[in-house]
Amino acid sequence: MSSGIRGLGSAAAAGLAFAVGALALLTAQQRNDNELRLRVEQQRLHFQLLSKAMDDPELAAVMSTVDLSAEPVETHTSLRRQYLFANALYTNVLQTYLTGNVNWQEMHGHVRVLCQSRVFRDYWEATRHHRRSLDESSDEARVGRMVDNLVHDLDESDTEEWWVVGEPPAEQI
């Protein structure tokens, strides 16, 4: 009889261990879902702010810290709006990757398309100093280095077939 009780105790312990494991998994999944929801909400807010700034030159001057002093004054508003839009496009690609909607190689392809725009490349160069403050191990810094390498590869390329330039680097985790 005591072996039957011990057997029941082992089964109960196994059931309890399973329940604890399932609860831990559920808690981790809920935390991941909350983090994703916060990222998406932050992206939405960022886009709303960019949209307002693109529509209003006075707000654009606050949001854009790019030095346009070398440009003729009459082009400031237009160029600032273009740079803000380039930022919105880049942020969208970055967030699409961070939320898992595209993988590293797919993001590389999206960025390669963005880099075909002279305005985007000018924006990227003008904001280089912004990226210097990023933690080198952060996702955004890794993506920034990938974009830097892609721009370099495109500049050095002697082919008209831009869609084959620049191998996507292996994703580093």
Side-chain angles (χ1 to χ4, degrees):
M1 179 113 172
S2 69
S3 67
I5 292 174
R6 271 184 277 184
L8 183 58
S10 296
L16 180 60
F18 177 78
V20 168
L23 183 60
L25 183 62
L26 182 61
T27 301
Q29 182 62 43
Q30 189 174 26
R31 188 176 309 120
N32 288 342
D33 288 349
N34 287 339
E35 288 173 7
L36 179 59
R37 201 173 1 269
L38 287 173
R39 279 184 176 177
V40 168
E41 190 56 39
Q42 191 281 327
Q43 168 67 14
R44 185 175 294 126
L45 176 60
H46 181 75
F47 184 74
Q48 288 171 347
L49 292 171
L50 282 171
S51 294
K52 285 181 179 194
M54 285 184 284
D55 290 340
D56 184 335
E58 291 177 1
L59 297 179
V62 174
M63 189 167 200
S64 176
T65 60
V66 174
D67 180 16
L68 299 176
S69 60
E71 301 295 327
V73 173
E74 57 273 3
T75 64
H76 284 198
T77 299
S78 176
L79 191 55
R80 194 174 305 280
R81 288 181 74 203
Q82 289 176 331
Y83 281 9
L84 288 170
F85 190 70
N87 177 262
L89 291 174
Y90 170 72
T91 302
N92 182 61
V93 169
L94 176 65
Q95 290 298 320
T96 301
Y97 168 69
L98 293 175
T99 56
N101 290 326
V102 298
N103 64 30
W104 185 254
Q105 287 74 24
E106 291 167 325
M107 181 187 55
H108 182 269
H110 289 294
V111 169
R112 184 170 32 207
V113 172
L114 277 180
C115 289
Q116 296 312 300
S117 164
R118 182 79 254 162
V119 174
F120 179 82
R121 289 165 84 160
D122 291 346
Y123 153 78
W124 193 252
E125 181 58 35
T127 58
R128 178 173 299 284
H129 64 283
H130 294 169
R131 293 183 295 282
R132 287 191 185 127
S133 65
L134 296 173
D135 178 343
E136 286 193 27
S137 65
S138 72
D139 288 330
E140 190 169 356
R142 290 184 317 107
V143 173
R145 286 190 298 273
M146 186 258 291
V147 176
D148 288 340
N149 291 334
L150 186 52
V151 167
H152 176 267
D153 290 349
L154 288 164
D155 285 343
E156 297 296 314
S157 174
D158 61 354
T159 181
E160 295 291 320
E161 298 174 340
W162 58 266
W163 55 91
V164 298
V165 174
E167 282 295 314
E171 185 170 11
Q172 303 164 355
I173 298 176

